[in-house]
Each structure stands twice: as C-alpha cells, then as structure tokens.
C-alpha cells in the first residue's frame, strides 16, 4: 500500500467498474470516467474507475465519497464544483429538499445606542452531497462555490452529528 500511495493512487478506489446508483430516468455516470475503456496489458499503473479529488483547505475527503457509488455532479469531492471564498458553520434546520439543506447561522448584532447586543440569524441554502448523512440539528461546515441554483451558493464539506437531540430548531447557538 505504501507503493500505491507513492504513485498517487488511493488504495481504496475501485479498479474495476462498479455501476453507479441509478435513481434517475437518465443513465448516471461520472463525467471523468470512461466506462468502456480498454484494459492495457503492459500498463502497470491503472487509473481508478471512480473520480475523487481533495477539496483542499484542510478538508478531509469522506470515505463514503471515495468508496461509494453515487453520482452527483454538484458534489465538491466527486463532481465539477470548486470550493473558494467563505467557509461557514451552522445548524441544519431542514432536510426536506433533495440534496439541499437549510443551515441556520446565529450571530450577535451590536446596538450602539443601548450598548447591548441583540440576537439575529440568517438561513442559508447549501447543497448536500450523498456522501453525508445529515439530519436536523447536526452541525455542518459549508464552503462557498459557484451558483448551483437560484438560491444555492454553498456546498457542505464537513459534518458533525448532533450532540444534543433535544435542542430545538430556533435555539440560539454561536460557534
């Protein structure tokens, strides 16, 4: 395995083609992978049959993205989306949409006249890759990317499971 790591190949990636999950009407396959490629006999280094990349910025690629067989062109690990700009943290409020979640970000706003702070919040729509099993109340880290839809400009890059399940949707938490 050390030999493979020196060559730049991740040992967990599949060498043979495994068909991707088919949930849509159209055939799902990764853009970067050619399914019907010929096998080279003399070639020692064989390209893996799954496209996975590191996002950078100290963000670890989840093992479900490397070993999984989902297709998501908007996923920062297996798709065509680069993370740049802001990186934000917040609590998941809603997971009702397909591959999109709503993140609540709480902050304090200073009122100069009264010399006090008031609680405020903003909701943020973010694309959530199938690599993450996100539930309401979880804490997620989202990275800014190109516009993915009318309202979505962020992509989930890290996920922490909720420690307290009884904290409500509108409870105030600052990170």
């Amino acid at each position: 395995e050390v030999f493979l790591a020196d060559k730049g190949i991740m040992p967990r990636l599949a060498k043979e083609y495994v068909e991707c999950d088919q949930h849509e009407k159209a055939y799902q396959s990764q853009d970067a992978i050619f399914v019907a490629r010929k096998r080279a006999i003399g070639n020692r280094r064989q390209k893996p049959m799954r496209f996975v990349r590191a996002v950078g910025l100290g963000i670890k690629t989840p093992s479900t993205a490397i070993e999984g067989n989902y297709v998501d062109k908007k996923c920062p690990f297996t798709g065509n989306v680069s993370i740049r700009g802001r990186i934000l943290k917040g609590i998941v409020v809603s997971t009702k949409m397909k591959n999109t979640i709503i993140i609540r970000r709480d902050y304090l706003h200073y009122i100069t006249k009264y010399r006090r702070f008031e609680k405020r919040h903003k909701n943020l729509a973010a694309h959530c890759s199938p690599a993450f099993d996100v539930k309401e109340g979880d804490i997620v880290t989202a990275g800014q990317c190109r516009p993915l839809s009318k309202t979505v400009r962020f992509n989930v890059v890290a996920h922490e499971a909720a420690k307290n399940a009884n904290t409500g949707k509108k409870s105030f938490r600052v990170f």
Side-chain angles (χ1 to χ4, degrees):
E1 286 188 20
V2 177
F3 177 72
L4 290 173
D6 291 338
K7 292 279 188 178
I9 302 172
M10 294 185 176
R12 295 184 286 176
L13 289 171
K15 296 279 188 261
E16 299 85 35
Y17 179 70
V18 179
E19 189 172 21
C20 299
D21 294 338
Q22 302 296 328
H23 298 295
E24 308 294 328
K25 287 183 180 178
Y27 180 74
Q28 299 294 302
S29 66
Q30 287 186 311
D31 291 336
I33 301 298
F34 180 55
V35 177
R37 76 161 184 226
K38 293 187 174 78
R39 304 287 184 260
I41 299 166
N43 194 356
R44 281 188 218 154
R45 185 176 181 269
Q46 199 173 10
K47 285 185 181 176
M49 290 301 283
R50 181 159 176 83
F51 172 74
V52 179
R53 69 161 173 218
V55 171
L57 304 167
I59 297 163
K60 189 176 174 287
T61 305
S63 59
T64 48
I66 297 168
E67 297 163 1
N69 57 351
Y70 67 88
V71 175
D72 184 11
K73 65 179 185 176
K74 295 178 181 179
C75 173
F77 307 105
T78 63
N80 186 22
V81 174
S82 61
I83 302 296
R84 78 285 193 281
R86 294 179 180 270
I87 294 187
L88 308 173
K89 235 178 184 186
I91 300 171
V92 177
V93 177
S94 171
T95 57
K96 293 174 185 173
M97 290 178 277
K98 184 182 175 187
N99 290 343
T100 306
I101 60 172
I102 300 295
I103 301 169
R104 180 185 168 106
R105 299 195 64 238
D106 297 316
Y107 60 96
L108 296 171
H109 178 250
Y110 185 68
I111 307 296
T112 317
K113 181 181 178 182
Y114 299 111
R115 292 196 220 126
R116 281 166 174 71
F117 290 93
E118 66 180 5
K119 295 175 187 175
R120 288 190 179 182
H121 83 277
K122 287 275 190 271
N123 284 346
L124 176 89
H127 179 80
C128 186
S129 165
F132 299 109
D133 185 33
V134 177
K135 296 177 182 66
E136 288 184 13
D138 292 356
I139 298 166
V140 294
T141 305
Q144 189 178 3
C145 60
R146 63 178 168 82
L148 301 176
S149 70
K150 181 183 172 184
T151 56
V152 177
R153 275 101 176 96
F154 285 85
N155 220 316
V156 175
V157 292
H159 166 246
E160 302 167 32
K163 293 174 186 122
N164 258 352
N166 58 358
T167 53
K169 274 187 185 179
K170 295 190 176 183
S171 61
F172 189 84
R173 287 185 62 185
V174 179
F175 301 103

